[in-house]
Amino acid sequence: MLLIDLQRSTNGSTFWSVGARWNIEQEEFMKSGIFNLLKLRGSYGVQGNQNIAAAAPGTNPIYLLPSAVRSLTSTAGSGYGNNPQLSTSIANEDLQWEVLNQANIGVDFDLKNGLLSGSLDVYNKKTEKLYSIQPLSAITGQYTISGNIGDMYNRGIELSLRSNIFNRQDFKLSVFANGAYNKNKVTKLAPGSVYPNNPFLTTNNTSTLYGTTAEGHMLGEYLMVPYLGTNSSTGLAQFLDRNGNVTTNPTNDDRRWTGKSFLPVYQGGFGLNASYKGFFVDVLFTYAAKVWRSDFDLANLSSPSNIGVFPVTRDLLNAWTSTNTDTDVPIVTDITGFNNSSTFSDRFLKDASYVRLRNVTLGYNFGKDILRGTPISQLRVYVQAENFLLGQNGEDLMLKGNASNQGGFPTPRVATMGIDVQF
């Protein structure tokens, strides 16, 4: 089967896709095979993305950057003198949608005995005309201009499997798992430009402190100074400078790419579904790996300046003293060292990988023989637990924000009981 789709967007661009599939199990040479389903499929397409900026919390996700394509430079009153007009942004009449080119090859299969079924997909997704921010000379009255000046790719594999181990009338048991691997890389950016969805720009947009993007690196990769712990003689925080020397006073020039991003490389889930006569149990685990977060909450709790003012972490009880020299927590009087370690070093960069028991449901389905003579056609009672075991810290870091976890709430643990009745 061959499918072709052609669309034209409101901005005058043309997008298209083509897909094909081969139902191999229907071929004559497969008639006596082990497959109930064996399908090979592939597709390639070009798609437009009008949401070139991330929606802020509470805003309309389909009405972004309404002034980005104005043909006139935006101005505003300064509030001084006779209210002269100041330039607030420079128009970019050539702004376009981002363009996504994606190729996909997949296989779906199901064995005749029902023991194993699943799907495997391999994809290569290239984004062109990436919306980015490029620095401008201050002589223009602005520091930046936004436009389509970047490319990046995402390549990965997605796998989903299910096995029906037992499928008897009174006892059924199936297990399942799914996983995804994604490799991301920005392949083109204008010199000095940064990706706009980065929450860690400095006020003049000329440098970054935390998760950012640069040509040749991952989206959201951290740019930080390595933290080395404390000087055993002085208790001062130590860092590694760009030349490999130990320093207590790092600068922005000492930052380097960490190879760590706030976007997970691996993620997925696994679990089981089982039933015995009327009883049933469903279990779901989720996981993510090779993902990192800057733990702002821990940094604030570790600030010596908060002692006696706000709650602080018990880690400060292990701060360096003349009798406690074997520690990586600086002396509490080293405020400068703390500020350095909490703003642009990797001291509070935490591995946010996790495995969590997402959901467990136990219940009982009343049989038709029990319900016979009643107006009830189906009755089920159950108890359910969510987020009770494993991975508390890692997933909390994952869910609290983009590149950091500041101001978030821990994942709630929820227990429920319920009754489902159908008449």
Side-chain angles (χ1 to χ4, degrees), residues 115-322:
L115 185 60
L116 185 65
S117 62
S119 62
L120 173 67
D121 285 272
V122 179
Y123 64 87
N124 183 17
K125 181 178 180 181
K126 181 180 180 181
T127 303
E128 299 175 326
K129 300 181 180 180
L130 191 70
Y131 181 71
S132 303
I133 300 173
Q134 182 177 6
L136 285 179
S137 170
I139 198 172
T140 63
Q142 294 296 313
Y143 288 107
T144 63
I145 187 172
S146 301
N148 304 95
I149 44 181
D151 298 338
M152 73 174 178
Y153 70 74
N154 287 276
R155 297 169 183 166
I157 300 173
E158 297 178 349
L159 176 65
S160 177
L161 297 172
R162 175 176 285 272
S163 177
N164 297 315
I165 300 176
F166 296 100
N167 193 20
R168 301 168 184 169
Q169 183 175 358
D170 288 342
F171 179 53
K172 300 180 186 298
L173 173 63
S174 63
V175 295
F176 61 88
N178 63 78
Y181 161 80
N182 183 75
K183 181 178 181 181
N184 170 271
K185 188 175 183 179
V186 176
T187 56
K188 176 184 176 183
L189 278 183
S193 66
V194 294
Y195 195 70
N197 296 336
N198 164 38
F200 300 115
L201 299 179
T202 58
T203 54
N204 62 2
N205 289 330
T206 59
S207 64
T208 54
L209 297 180
Y210 305 99
T212 184
T213 297
E215 188 173 309
H217 294 271
M218 297 180 290
L219 187 66
E221 184 175 348
Y222 293 92
L223 184 64
M224 291 180 160
V225 179
Y227 176 66
L228 300 180
T230 65
N231 184 299
S232 60
S233 299
T234 64
L236 298 179
Q238 299 183 131
F239 309 87
L240 193 66
D241 70 13
R242 62 185 303 179
N243 298 316
N245 300 316
V246 177
T247 179
T248 58
N249 188 30
T251 68
N252 278 344
D253 290 337
D254 295 320
R255 290 181 289 125
R256 78 276 323 262
W257 296 104
T258 62
K260 301 171 182 178
S261 170
F262 60 78
L263 300 175
V265 176
Y266 302 95
Q267 56 185 322
F270 57 93
L272 63 86
N273 307 114
S275 64
Y276 176 70
K277 296 185 177 180
F279 295 95
F280 67 89
V281 56
D282 299 317
V283 180
L284 173 63
F285 289 85
T286 59
Y287 67 88
K290 293 198 72 173
V291 56
W292 300 79
R293 287 293 190 275
S294 183
D295 196 340
F296 276 7
D297 286 345
L298 179 59
N300 290 330
L301 292 172
S302 302
S303 174
S305 60
N306 285 335
I307 296 176
V309 181
F310 298 108
V312 294
T313 175
R314 66 181 63 183
D315 292 346
L316 289 177
L317 296 174
N318 192 38
W320 185 96
T321 66
S322 59

